[in-house]
Amino acid sequence: MKIDIHTHTKKCKTGDAHTREVSAEVFCQTILSSDVGIVAITNHNVFDREQFFEIQGGLSPEAQVWPGIELDVLENGARGHLLVIVSPTKTHEFSEVVDQITRSFTPDTFTATIAEVIENFDALSPLYVAHYKQKKPNISDDALEKLVANTENPGRVIKEVTNSISAGIYISHGHASIYGSDVQDWATYEKLSRELPDLRLPVDSFEHFCLLLEKDPTTINTVLDRKTSEDLSLRPFDDNSCLDLKVYNDINVFFGPKGTGKSCILKAIAKHYSTHGTDARVYESASDRLDQIFDTKGKDLSINLNNHGINYCSNEIEHLRSVVEVNVTNVSKYVSFFKAKSTNKNAKKLLLKDITPEEEGTLKREFIDFNDAAVATEKFLEFLSENSSVKKELDEDELEDVVRILTRLNQRLHARDWTSFSRWKEVWFLNCAIATFRKEVERKTGIPAKPTTTGFREYALNRVEIEINAAEIIRNADTKIPIQTESLGSLGSNKGSLEFRTEFKFQDGGITSGALSSLTGVKKGTQKKFIKLVRAILANAYSDELFHHIAALNATEDVEEVHTVYELLLFERYFALDGQRYTPSSGEASMVMLQRELGEDKEIYILDEPERSLGNEYINDVIVPLVKEHARVGKKVFISTHDANIAVRTLPYSSVYRCHGASGYSTYCGNPFSNNLVDLNNANDHLDWKQISMKTLEGGEEAFGERGKIYGNY
């Protein structure tokens, strides 16, 4: 949730843009379509009570709106702007004060001194937000000191600077800072709101916000207690000493000098959760193992061709390798039969030998068709019985009807299946008997049997079958498989998005690229020769050269390793940046692996010094938002770090500081909200969270100071 403490609904002063004017209805629609959960209305020297209540009714309960005003303050001849924001419970009193002090002025002519502001508003316990430095017109340091010195609640004085980092946590210039939209054009608010500060802790009300701003311990602890937490009892060190930690379903940071056992604690946490059945492992940057981690060599690479509508063609390949020529009946056999005169009486009685064999092909195909249909129906019935989505979509009666109809269909298919099988085998046995008797009669009498067929039909069918199988192999081997891509995230705003690509190609006989490797280990030469010969077989299906090519296929070295078109696959795996091949540097390799780790959907993330080899901009722009997003949805994130951009900007619910002194190792726990760290073995030993962070973390000074990036406050 975001907070915006500086908005306008009216064009009050001459210089105000007309695009600031917005109706209550549009205001509410705009706020509710954004992530802003708290908004203050601060028009120039004007407070419209009726509009405020209309907006309050339109936003409640999804968002809070606080009444406020942006005053022109004139102090020692210098003009600056000061936001005065009060609790919604004091809207009427606030409205009366504004009316009283502005009734003799127009918004253009009104000014007030610091003393007049305090005199009129301080009794309402307001939040003062002063334009400061780059935020023009700014309140001078002298005027600000006067405000702090004379208000009853100096902790509620905040500075608003265009590049401030946060309020309440990142301290700049001795006071808290915050940032509001100061919206000029409501048409651009949705985009503008994305840069507003996040609220890391839930804020129930204006009063609650002020208590958090003042770092009230009771308030902070109450808020932290709302978050799901867990007490861990670990033994991470060699001395087997026990370390008791309270961790949150949020960000938990471990920091401190090197060599103080932070990595040991992370490993103990991973072991704890793994022992209890939760996937947990410590992520460590290993940019030198990028190729191994992404398996660029394809050691464990595979692909299911059926998912791409590709037939493996095992039967077709087996047929091509085993097929032989079917010869037509030689005329001499007819001549021999008609010239010979059988004198064998028994042979004359065996009329079976003279019966013409029946055609089997049609019956065989009929059996295969019915059998395939029966098998598919059985599988679909199994699917229906197991699929939960079908059971949700159909009520019990509908499901019973579907199952009943399919069961009946399956029974009928099986009946036809068995009938066609019987008819096929009946003909097959008859033809076998005819062939056997003819052979025996020939052997016993020495007189050739009458040829049963000219062989032309069988010759032609054999060639047709060879052509069909060769064409099926070629059709599938010519199928293009789409490139598989895995998005690895951004390499930063100046580089673009990196992805990991896997390309599969069938050897078509013309591929010579050395970048492509055989997926199954079959030699590329064997693959190339195999597919070329299959193409030759297809092209010569009806020529005299056909069996020359089939013989060449069978003579190909290692051809027995090609059982399916899968053995013809080549592959290449590589990284690509915006579609172009790219070799990540060591630092970019670290980015890739860290984004991959954070991109996994799991309950626990354990990161050991994720900042290695990464620049601050990348950490701020990519990694910190990813970590905060996981925390926002209740995932546990444990980070050991020396980087202030992570330890400070993530605003962790739990900070664990490890150090080593004269008395040995010590462990302090706390959080940035209370700005406190407490020794686990001595509750009276406290450290200042901010001071320790600035002293210990790399880039601590910069993280606490003003920078160009805007981050959350609570």
Side-chain angles (χ1 to χ4, degrees), residues 8 35 37 42 149 155 222 246 289 315 324 348 417 419 463 487 493 559-560 576 609 615 625 635 655 692 712:
H8 297 265
D35 290 333
T42 53
T222 301
K246 184 175 186 176
R289 294 193 292 114
N315 293 332
V324 295
K348 289 181 178 178
D417 172 13
T419 301
R463 294 288 181 126
S487 178
S493 56
V559 69
E560 65 278 4
E609 297 188 37
K635 303 296 180 68
S655 290
I692 289 296

Side-chain angles (χ1 to χ4, degrees), residues 204-223:
D204 299 333
S205 65
F206 175 85
E207 292 77 9
H208 193 208
F209 178 83
C210 291
L211 287 172
L212 290 171
L213 193 65
E214 295 166 2
K215 300 189 181 302
D216 178 75
T218 303
T219 304
I220 291 173
N221 289 334
T222 301
V223 171

